[in-house]
Amino acid sequence: MEVKFKEERDKLVRHLKKIGYIKSERVEDAMLNVQRHLFVPFDEIKYAYEDRPLPIGAGQTISAPHMVAIMTEYLKLKKGDKVLEIGAGSGYQAAIISRIVGEGGKVISIERIEGLADFARENLKRAGIKDVEVMRGDGSLGFEPEAPYDKICVTCAAPDIPEPLVGQLRVGGRMVIPVGRHAQELYLLDKGEDQIVKRKVGGVIFVPLIGRYGF
Ligand code: SAM
């Protein structure tokens, strides 16, 4: 079975490279090596290497592989980065980030729904990924005790960029976040010494961020 999955995964990665969503070796390596079929519910396994979101329960989804590639490329991750993810869902995006930041790095992922936080933890364990800490809570507040973060990856759409997340980003750090009340845009936020630069990089569709600084 793993041989078949590996072939499907290789094919998907080749496709994402060809159409320009995978640009770097580090993202290619992560997407070749993290097994997406370990992060979807049993009924969805046969679709694990199709380039589309899949249901993971509680009305939520694992993002499409091309969206994971796009967001991960924009994060410009480096070995040793400390990363905060909002919206653990299946744990797949956190696994991809973890593979890139390596053992010296750290990934903290916050999930609002208890059952999904458990699902993400189980999937990460099955995939043998140890350096991701999944916590249940309102990610719109960030997680102050571990701040500052080199990178913040938000995988649900916020009405506006949550202030606590900007505060917890390191100077020189980058946040990737979908924003929008109706139509959503993916934003990159770069935090400099004395200015914050926000850039819209394209339309997206994400489930809403629900919380104090969310919907
Ligand atoms: N990154 C996930 C993955 O790789 O499977 C996909 C995440 S899914 C598109 C968005 C997730 O954000 C959902 O699981 C949802 O419950 C979660 N979410 C929504 N609002 C949240 C909040 N305030 N704090 C933490 N998680 C939240």
Side-chain angles (χ1 to χ4, degrees):
M1 204 58 169
E2 174 45 23
V3 175
K4 177 176 153 296
F5 285 138
K6 187 174 180 318
E7 278 169 12
E8 290 182 5
R9 194 162 57 246
D10 289 356
K11 190 172 163 209
L12 172 67
V13 170
R14 274 200 306 279
H15 169 70
L16 294 176
K17 232 180 125 173
K18 194 170 162 204
I19 58 179
Y21 291 139
I22 293 180
K23 299 179 193 301
S24 65
E25 265 178 38
R26 57 189 173 226
V27 175
E28 180 179 7
D29 168 85
M31 295 200 65
L32 280 175
N33 284 289
V34 177
Q35 304 177 62
R36 191 171 187 254
H37 65 274
L38 299 181
F39 292 84
V40 300
F42 186 74
D43 291 351
E44 305 293 334
I45 284 181
K46 52 188 175 297
Y47 309 120
Y49 297 104
E50 291 186 6
D51 188 17
R52 60 181 172 101
L54 295 170
I56 54 172
Q60 307 300 320
T61 52
I62 175 173
S63 305
H66 74 270
M67 191 45 65
V68 173
I70 290 171
M71 292 187 79
T72 312
E73 289 288 4
Y74 278 131
L75 283 169
K76 298 264 177 251
L77 297 165
K78 292 198 296 289
K79 283 228 173 300
D81 273 352
K82 186 193 266 192
V83 184
L84 178 68
E85 183 196 24
I86 312 305
S90 68
Y92 177 71
Q93 172 77 70
I96 293 283
I97 295 172
S98 167
R99 168 103 193 169
I100 300 176
V101 301
E103 277 178 17
K106 187 163 187 181
V107 184
I108 292 166
S109 186
I110 308 180
E111 172 53 53
R112 185 179 73 89
I113 299 171
E114 180 102 58
L116 287 179
D118 291 340
F119 182 59
R121 282 188 204 104
E122 280 162 26
N123 296 339
L124 287 159
K125 194 170 169 199
R126 271 195 305 151
I129 291 157
K130 299 189 189 75
D131 304 321
V132 178
E133 195 178 328
V134 178
M135 289 184 304
R136 206 204 67 79
D138 176 5
S140 76
L141 302 169
F143 185 64
E144 187 65 48
E146 288 277 359
Y149 301 95
D150 298 299
K151 309 286 161 57
I152 299 180
C153 179
V154 184
T155 65
C156 36
D160 301 291
I161 299 178
E163 269 313 311
L165 299 185
V166 180
Q168 291 173 28
L169 188 64
R170 185 189 297 285
V171 170
R174 169 173 281 190
M175 175 168 15
V176 178
I177 177 169
V179 180
R181 289 170 193 272
H182 305 292
Q184 303 168 3
E185 292 261 7
L186 192 65
Y187 274 72
L188 308 184
L189 181 149
D190 289 308
K191 186 170 177 177
E193 235 9 295
D194 21 54
Q195 62 165 350
I196 284 167
V197 178
K198 294 177 200 164
R199 199 152 50 97
K200 289 190 236 177
V201 291
V204 287
I205 302 173
F206 276 85
V207 295
L209 176 124
I210 296 166
R212 169 98 159 73
Y213 292 86
F215 288 96

